Amino acid sequence: MGAAVIAGAVVLLLLGAAAPAFADDPPTLPPRAVPVPRGIAATPSGGSYEQLISYANDSARDLGAIQQEARDVAAERNETLAQISTLAALTQKPSAVRDRLEREALRLSATTKIPSASTVSPATREAADEMRTLRVELKQQYVALQADAVALAPYAVIVSPNGAWTTPALGELTQGFGRTTYQGEPARVYDGVYYAHFHEGIDIGADIYSPVVAAAPGRVVWVGHLPDGAMVVLIAHIGGLVSLYAHLDDRIAPPRVAAGDEVQQGQIIAAIGMTGMTTGPHLHFAVWLNGELIDPLSLLAP
Ligand SMILES: [Zn+2]
């Protein structure tokens, strides 16, 4: 009976190794370096418009770093999956060693001899040890993968691929980006050219209180009033992009987001208003790429 039990244990060990089912208590795992995406620096309290924009651009750069870290984790995960697949194939592959082990197990189960250390051949013990090691490694890989998934989950939004941006408000384009004859816009040098009046974004005239949505997935980095009274939301996006939504309402339908929030593309973040210097309800929408203003229309779907 003792021999049959031992033989059965050997067979179970072998068959158990073939299918990676882990009923054992988890082994003590060595510490594993899972890249933890960095957070974003604390929101500044106040400051000039330039300081805010600079802060937002820094945040976009941080998001870029997070994206890179997430890519590294994904690459590591793919590598781990490949290793698991290799290990699984190894444990399932019919081999001379395995055939010999099965014959050994059958021989043991057919005998009534009292088992002793000598009834299990060194080859059997060696192969069994190898199988056990493989199982432990497989288990460790699975546990590590689970840890990766947990660490990455909160960043699913910001690492989603960026396609065309969503128009942030439904309405009429009342002023484009760049050179303008509108006297209210300040002078600016852009791309080495001086403009007496330069519009930093686009204006979309829309009904008061109609929704304003995030143009792309990202992280809100600032919500508040500019010195001129305009209520704004600033969002950092992967790829070094920052979007600004200005003249938002701050009384009936104030912004629905706060600094630190992650937003989806198309998510309602605020409502059209008339805060700041404006002659009518509209959204002023501006975009920076790596700290430089760009024409938002270049990102919006045609
Ligand atoms: Zn404007």
Side-chain angles (χ1 to χ4, degrees):
M1 175 180 168
V5 168
I6 295 290
V10 170
V11 169
L12 278 178
L13 178 64
L14 294 177
L15 298 182
F22 304 110
D24 303 344
D25 286 339
T28 307
L29 294 172
R32 183 168 179 282
V34 174
V36 176
R38 290 185 296 151
I40 284 184
T43 306
S45 53
S48 70
Y49 175 68
E50 287 72 22
Q51 285 171 325
L52 268 179
I53 298 305
S54 167
Y55 165 76
N57 278 296
D58 288 348
S59 301
R61 205 176 51 235
D62 287 348
L63 281 186
I66 289 172
Q67 184 192 30
Q68 187 53 52
E69 286 165 9
R71 279 185 183 143
D72 292 346
V73 171
E76 195 182 331
R77 165 182 292 171
N78 286 340
E79 198 180 313
T80 305
L81 283 171
Q83 287 169 356
I84 285 179
S85 159
T86 304
L87 286 172
L90 203 70
T91 56
Q92 283 165 7
K93 195 170 74 175
S95 69
V97 171
R98 188 167 159 176
D99 290 348
R100 191 173 69 245
L101 288 172
E102 282 173 354
R103 282 199 304 276
E104 185 93 358
L106 284 173
R107 187 182 64 78
L108 283 172
S109 64
T111 178
T112 55
K113 209 163 55 177
I114 302 296
S116 70
S118 63
T119 54
V120 181
S121 74
T124 304
R125 271 203 303 274
E126 198 178 307
D129 285 347
E130 191 187 328
M131 289 295 185
R132 204 190 329 266
T133 303
L134 286 177
R135 292 184 66 196
V136 169
E137 281 181 29
L138 274 172
K139 172 129 195 172
Q140 288 175 348
Q141 304 274 23
Y142 276 116
V143 170
L145 272 179
Q146 283 166 354
D148 283 356
V150 168
L152 277 179
Y155 298 90
V157 171
I158 56 173
V159 300
S160 62
N162 251 343
W165 282 27
T166 300
T167 304
L170 291 180
E172 184 190 351
L173 184 71
T174 52
Q175 196 183 175
F177 174 81
R179 177 206 292 269
T180 177
T181 54
Y182 179 56
Q183 304 292 309
E185 300 298 348
R188 184 183 189 93
V189 174
Y190 184 77
D191 252 1
V193 179
Y194 173 85
Y195 297 90
H197 303 285
F198 191 94
H199 190 218
E200 293 193 348
I202 59 173
D203 287 345
I204 301 172
D207 292 338
I208 188 95
Y209 308 135
S210 56
V212 172
V213 305
R219 181 176 290 175
V220 177
V221 293
W222 198 76
V223 178
H225 291 94
L226 294 180
D228 71 356
M231 169 61 86
V232 306
V233 170
L234 271 167
I235 300 179
H237 310 273
I238 56 174
L241 289 151
V242 168
S243 57
L244 167 80
Y245 311 75
H247 305 305
L248 303 169
D249 184 58
D250 62 355
R251 298 179 62 199
I252 304 294
R256 299 183 181 191
V257 291
D261 287 357
E262 278 158 20
V263 291
Q264 307 270 3
Q265 184 167 16
Q267 179 180 334
I268 296 176
I269 55 171
I272 295 287
M274 286 187 62
T275 55
M277 312 271 273
T278 172
T279 54
H282 78 280
L283 175 71
H284 172 83
F285 178 58
V287 178
W288 287 259
L289 171 61
N290 298 326
E292 300 293 331
L293 281 167
I294 62 170
D295 184 351
L297 289 181
S298 66
L299 294 171
L300 302 181

